[in-house]
Amino acid sequence: MKYVKHLLCVALLLFVTSAAFASSGEKKVGEVDFAGIMMGHINDSYEWHITDVGDTPLIIHLPIIVKSSTGWHVFCSSEFEHEPIAEGKLKGYRKGPHELYIAGSGSNENKIVEMQGGEEVRPLDISLTKTALVAIIDGIILLIVVLIPARWYRRHKIDDEAPKGFTGFMSMFIMYIYDDVIKSTLGDKADKFAPYLLTCFFFIFTANILGVVPFPPGGGNLTGNIACTFFFAFMTFLVTNLFGTKAYYKEIFWPEVPLWLKFPLPLMPMIEFFGLFTKPLALMIRLFANMFAGHAIALSFALIIFIMYGVNMWAGSSMAVISTLMSTFMMLLEVLVCFIQALVFTMLSAVFISLSQVKEEKEEI
């Protein structure tokens, strides 16, 4: 009964808050850019929008570094807040697409472009975007998390008392991934590939968690960016095939199948060769799609409130309670998904690597 009262109090508080929001901002409901809000959180950008304080947006502006026909240029993304001034000041740079040239096209949307003879030309862009900054923050956090236990182990002997606190937790966490995922899959080859696989797991897991945190240093959807998942999938592809055994390549280019399946038409070798690329492709798409969808669903539940306020205040107030509860549930579920997706990526990478470590079986006489 006590918990029911607490839930009713929370629901009443949400109702009153939602009603106040409706009465103060009802005229602005039609102006809400739903697609912009959702994709602004998920997509990469040249600035990091944190929140709005009243009518003033709180934004971290990031440096833009581009090379075009006029050479290298470095400036702040805040220069684009005043578009007419920026075009002249920034030597013709702007954010695409140009409304007069390719109106309706999203090929260069929110990307830095240079106008040359009325055409948009993408310069060499190595800017520090939100995704790149989140990747740097993720790397720094990962280094701290790893170096603290390493420092403890350097100062203690193997027969000393087991570590406690953060070091003990990380030791347990690392050994769980090593023993139950890496060693159980790779066997005596575990030590050779453990550094890469452990890096994959903890970097992806940290990036996933930072994506759930709604404020800096979190808030960036790193693993929901397909460029990031492509990089890890490509690294797994390289590790798998560069360290593959002779028997592994023999199974690809001359498998143990009837001769007519590999000569004169190399049907099975073609299928096996194609499989070299489908495995990392599946890794890339799986991680990207799950993290992208998780963020999109959680944001959709929140945006339903604005849609229902467009109907009337009572519909919006009722939906605010339901949407808040569903959003909270999705965010808690997303924390579990963060761990599962990092674990699945590491496990499948270990499986693909183990398949490349096969040894040729000698026929018994």
PDB file of all heavy atoms in Angstrom, residues 44-59:
ATOM      1  N   ASP A  44      25.519  13.072 -35.834  1.00  0.00           N
ATOM      2  CA  ASP A  44      26.703  13.833 -35.473  1.00  0.00           C
ATOM      3  C   ASP A  44      26.465  15.311 -35.780  1.00  0.00           C
ATOM      4  O   ASP A  44      25.596  15.667 -36.594  1.00  0.00           O
ATOM      5  CB  ASP A  44      27.899  13.308 -36.268  1.00  0.00           C
ATOM      6  CG  ASP A  44      29.221  13.749 -35.679  1.00  0.00           C
ATOM      7  OD1 ASP A  44      29.207  14.349 -34.578  1.00  0.00           O
ATOM      8  OD2 ASP A  44      30.263  13.500 -36.302  1.00  0.00           O
ATOM      9  N   SER A  45      27.244  16.196 -35.144  1.00  0.00           N
ATOM     10  CA  SER A  45      27.085  17.635 -35.358  1.00  0.00           C
ATOM     11  C   SER A  45      28.378  18.345 -35.007  1.00  0.00           C
ATOM     12  O   SER A  45      29.269  17.786 -34.368  1.00  0.00           O
ATOM     13  CB  SER A  45      25.927  18.186 -34.520  1.00  0.00           C
ATOM     14  OG  SER A  45      26.198  18.039 -33.139  1.00  0.00           O
ATOM     15  N   TYR A  46      28.454  19.617 -35.431  1.00  0.00           N
ATOM     16  CA  TYR A  46      29.627  20.431 -35.163  1.00  0.00           C
ATOM     17  C   TYR A  46      29.546  21.158 -33.827  1.00  0.00           C
ATOM     18  O   TYR A  46      30.460  21.884 -33.468  1.00  0.00           O
ATOM     19  CB  TYR A  46      29.819  21.462 -36.276  1.00  0.00           C
ATOM     20  CG  TYR A  46      30.176  20.849 -37.604  1.00  0.00           C
ATOM     21  CD1 TYR A  46      29.212  20.703 -38.594  1.00  0.00           C
ATOM     22  CD2 TYR A  46      31.465  20.403 -37.865  1.00  0.00           C
ATOM     23  CE1 TYR A  46      29.531  20.140 -39.818  1.00  0.00           C
ATOM     24  CE2 TYR A  46      31.794  19.838 -39.089  1.00  0.00           C
ATOM     25  CZ  TYR A  46      30.826  19.715 -40.071  1.00  0.00           C
ATOM     26  OH  TYR A  46      31.141  19.145 -41.270  1.00  0.00           O
ATOM     27  N   GLU A  47      28.439  20.993 -33.118  1.00  0.00           N
ATOM     28  CA  GLU A  47      28.308  21.558 -31.793  1.00  0.00           C
ATOM     29  C   GLU A  47      27.604  20.558 -30.892  1.00  0.00           C
ATOM     30  O   GLU A  47      26.985  19.609 -31.373  1.00  0.00           O
ATOM     31  CB  GLU A  47      27.552  22.892 -31.808  1.00  0.00           C
ATOM     32  CG  GLU A  47      26.132  22.812 -32.348  1.00  0.00           C
ATOM     33  CD  GLU A  47      26.070  22.904 -33.861  1.00  0.00           C
ATOM     34  OE1 GLU A  47      26.938  23.571 -34.455  1.00  0.00           O
ATOM     35  OE2 GLU A  47      25.155  22.275 -34.436  1.00  0.00           O
ATOM     36  N   TRP A  48      27.687  20.782 -29.601  1.00  0.00           N
ATOM     37  CA  TRP A  48      27.106  19.863 -28.626  1.00  0.00           C
ATOM     38  C   TRP A  48      26.022  20.617 -27.867  1.00  0.00           C
ATOM     39  O   TRP A  48      26.302  21.403 -26.979  1.00  0.00           O
ATOM     40  CB  TRP A  48      28.191  19.361 -27.678  1.00  0.00           C
ATOM     41  CG  TRP A  48      27.792  18.167 -26.865  1.00  0.00           C
ATOM     42  CD1 TRP A  48      26.530  17.770 -26.523  1.00  0.00           C
ATOM     43  CD2 TRP A  48      28.671  17.194 -26.298  1.00  0.00           C
ATOM     44  NE1 TRP A  48      26.562  16.630 -25.795  1.00  0.00           N
ATOM     45  CE2 TRP A  48      27.860  16.242 -25.637  1.00  0.00           C
ATOM     46  CE3 TRP A  48      30.046  17.043 -26.290  1.00  0.00           C
ATOM     47  CZ2 TRP A  48      28.403  15.159 -24.951  1.00  0.00           C
ATOM     48  CZ3 TRP A  48      30.582  15.963 -25.618  1.00  0.00           C
ATOM     49  CH2 TRP A  48      29.768  15.026 -24.957  1.00  0.00           C
ATOM     50  N   HIS A  49      24.781  20.373 -28.251  1.00  0.00           N
ATOM     51  CA  HIS A  49      23.659  21.032 -27.594  1.00  0.00           C
ATOM     52  C   HIS A  49      23.342  20.298 -26.299  1.00  0.00           C
ATOM     53  O   HIS A  49      23.011  19.111 -26.313  1.00  0.00           O
ATOM     54  CB  HIS A  49      22.436  21.042 -28.511  1.00  0.00           C
ATOM     55  CG  HIS A  49      21.245  21.731 -27.918  1.00  0.00           C
ATOM     56  ND1 HIS A  49      20.317  21.080 -27.151  1.00  0.00           N
ATOM     57  CD2 HIS A  49      20.858  23.030 -27.959  1.00  0.00           C
ATOM     58  CE1 HIS A  49      19.389  21.924 -26.747  1.00  0.00           C
ATOM     59  NE2 HIS A  49      19.695  23.122 -27.223  1.00  0.00           N
ATOM     60  N   ILE A  50      23.447  21.001 -25.166  1.00  0.00           N
ATOM     61  CA  ILE A  50      23.230  20.383 -23.860  1.00  0.00           C
ATOM     62  C   ILE A  50      21.776  20.519 -23.446  1.00  0.00           C
ATOM     63  O   ILE A  50      21.076  19.538 -23.205  1.00  0.00           O
ATOM     64  CB  ILE A  50      24.159  21.015 -22.812  1.00  0.00           C
ATOM     65  CG1 ILE A  50      25.629  20.810 -23.227  1.00  0.00           C
ATOM     66  CG2 ILE A  50      23.914  20.413 -21.433  1.00  0.00           C
ATOM     67  CD1 ILE A  50      26.618  21.513 -22.347  1.00  0.00           C
ATOM     68  N   THR A  51      21.293  21.753 -23.351  1.00  0.00           N
ATOM     69  CA  THR A  51      19.905  21.998 -22.956  1.00  0.00           C
ATOM     70  C   THR A  51      19.568  23.443 -23.290  1.00  0.00           C
ATOM     71  O   THR A  51      20.400  24.189 -23.835  1.00  0.00           O
ATOM     72  CB  THR A  51      19.704  21.730 -21.451  1.00  0.00           C
ATOM     73  OG1 THR A  51      18.301  21.841 -21.137  1.00  0.00           O
ATOM     74  CG2 THR A  51      20.480  22.719 -20.610  1.00  0.00           C
ATOM     75  N   ASP A  52      18.346  23.837 -22.983  1.00  0.00           N
ATOM     76  CA  ASP A  52      17.904  25.215 -23.149  1.00  0.00           C
ATOM     77  C   ASP A  52      17.581  25.808 -21.791  1.00  0.00           C
ATOM     78  O   ASP A  52      16.821  25.216 -21.013  1.00  0.00           O
ATOM     79  CB  ASP A  52      16.661  25.303 -24.048  1.00  0.00           C
ATOM     80  CG  ASP A  52      16.974  24.955 -25.492  1.00  0.00           C
ATOM     81  OD1 ASP A  52      18.131  25.158 -25.901  1.00  0.00           O
ATOM     82  OD2 ASP A  52      16.071  24.483 -26.205  1.00  0.00           O
ATOM     83  N   VAL A  53      18.161  26.962 -21.500  1.00  0.00           N
ATOM     84  CA  VAL A  53      17.861  27.688 -20.273  1.00  0.00           C
ATOM     85  C   VAL A  53      16.948  28.835 -20.658  1.00  0.00           C
ATOM     86  O   VAL A  53      17.386  29.873 -21.138  1.00  0.00           O
ATOM     87  CB  VAL A  53      19.148  28.214 -19.601  1.00  0.00           C
ATOM     88  CG1 VAL A  53      18.799  28.952 -18.310  1.00  0.00           C
ATOM     89  CG2 VAL A  53      20.109  27.071 -19.324  1.00  0.00           C
ATOM     90  N   GLY A  54      15.633  28.627 -20.465  1.00  0.00           N
ATOM     91  CA  GLY A  54      14.661  29.589 -20.973  1.00  0.00           C
ATOM     92  C   GLY A  54      14.651  29.553 -22.493  1.00  0.00           C
ATOM     93  O   GLY A  54      14.438  28.512 -23.109  1.00  0.00           O
ATOM     94  N   ASP A  55      14.920  30.702 -23.105  1.00  0.00           N
ATOM     95  CA  ASP A  55      15.014  30.787 -24.566  1.00  0.00           C
ATOM     96  C   ASP A  55      16.457  30.753 -25.055  1.00  0.00           C
ATOM     97  O   ASP A  55      16.708  30.911 -26.249  1.00  0.00           O
ATOM     98  CB  ASP A  55      14.344  32.083 -25.056  1.00  0.00           C
ATOM     99  CG  ASP A  55      12.843  32.080 -24.797  1.00  0.00           C
ATOM    100  OD1 ASP A  55      12.257  30.982 -24.776  1.00  0.00           O
ATOM    101  OD2 ASP A  55      12.274  33.177 -24.612  1.00  0.00           O
ATOM    102  N   THR A  56      17.397  30.550 -24.129  1.00  0.00           N
ATOM    103  CA  THR A  56      18.810  30.553 -24.490  1.00  0.00           C
ATOM    104  C   THR A  56      19.343  29.128 -24.545  1.00  0.00           C
ATOM    105  O   THR A  56      19.344  28.427 -23.533  1.00  0.00           O
ATOM    106  CB  THR A  56      19.632  31.357 -23.465  1.00  0.00           C
ATOM    107  OG1 THR A  56      19.095  32.674 -23.357  1.00  0.00           O
ATOM    108  CG2 THR A  56      21.088  31.418 -23.894  1.00  0.00           C
ATOM    109  N   PRO A  57      19.789  28.678 -25.698  1.00  0.00           N
ATOM    110  CA  PRO A  57      20.358  27.323 -25.786  1.00  0.00           C
ATOM    111  C   PRO A  57      21.755  27.272 -25.174  1.00  0.00           C
ATOM    112  O   PRO A  57      22.566  28.184 -25.377  1.00  0.00           O
ATOM    113  CB  PRO A  57      20.398  27.054 -27.289  1.00  0.00           C
ATOM    114  CG  PRO A  57      20.476  28.408 -27.923  1.00  0.00           C
ATOM    115  CD  PRO A  57      19.731  29.340 -27.013  1.00  0.00           C
ATOM    116  N   LEU A  58      22.026  26.212 -24.430  1.00  0.00           N
ATOM    117  CA  LEU A  58      23.346  25.989 -23.845  1.00  0.00           C
ATOM    118  C   LEU A  58      24.084  25.012 -24.754  1.00  0.00           C
ATOM    119  O   LEU A  58      23.763  23.827 -24.801  1.00  0.00           O
ATOM    120  CB  LEU A  58      23.214  25.433 -22.426  1.00  0.00           C
ATOM    121  CG  LEU A  58      24.510  25.237 -21.628  1.00  0.00           C
ATOM    122  CD1 LEU A  58      25.254  26.560 -21.495  1.00  0.00           C
ATOM    123  CD2 LEU A  58      24.224  24.635 -20.262  1.00  0.00           C
ATOM    124  N   ILE A  59      25.072  25.526 -25.478  1.00  0.00           N
ATOM    125  CA  ILE A  59      25.741  24.759 -26.527  1.00  0.00           C
ATOM    126  C   ILE A  59      27.255  24.819 -26.327  1.00  0.00           C
ATOM    127  O   ILE A  59      27.802  25.884 -26.014  1.00  0.00           O
ATOM    128  CB  ILE A  59      25.385  25.289 -27.933  1.00  0.00           C
ATOM    129  CG1 ILE A  59      23.877  25.170 -28.182  1.00  0.00           C
ATOM    130  CG2 ILE A  59      26.154  24.547 -29.016  1.00  0.00           C
ATOM    131  CD1 ILE A  59      23.432  25.798 -29.485  1.00  0.00           C
TER     132      ILE A  59
END
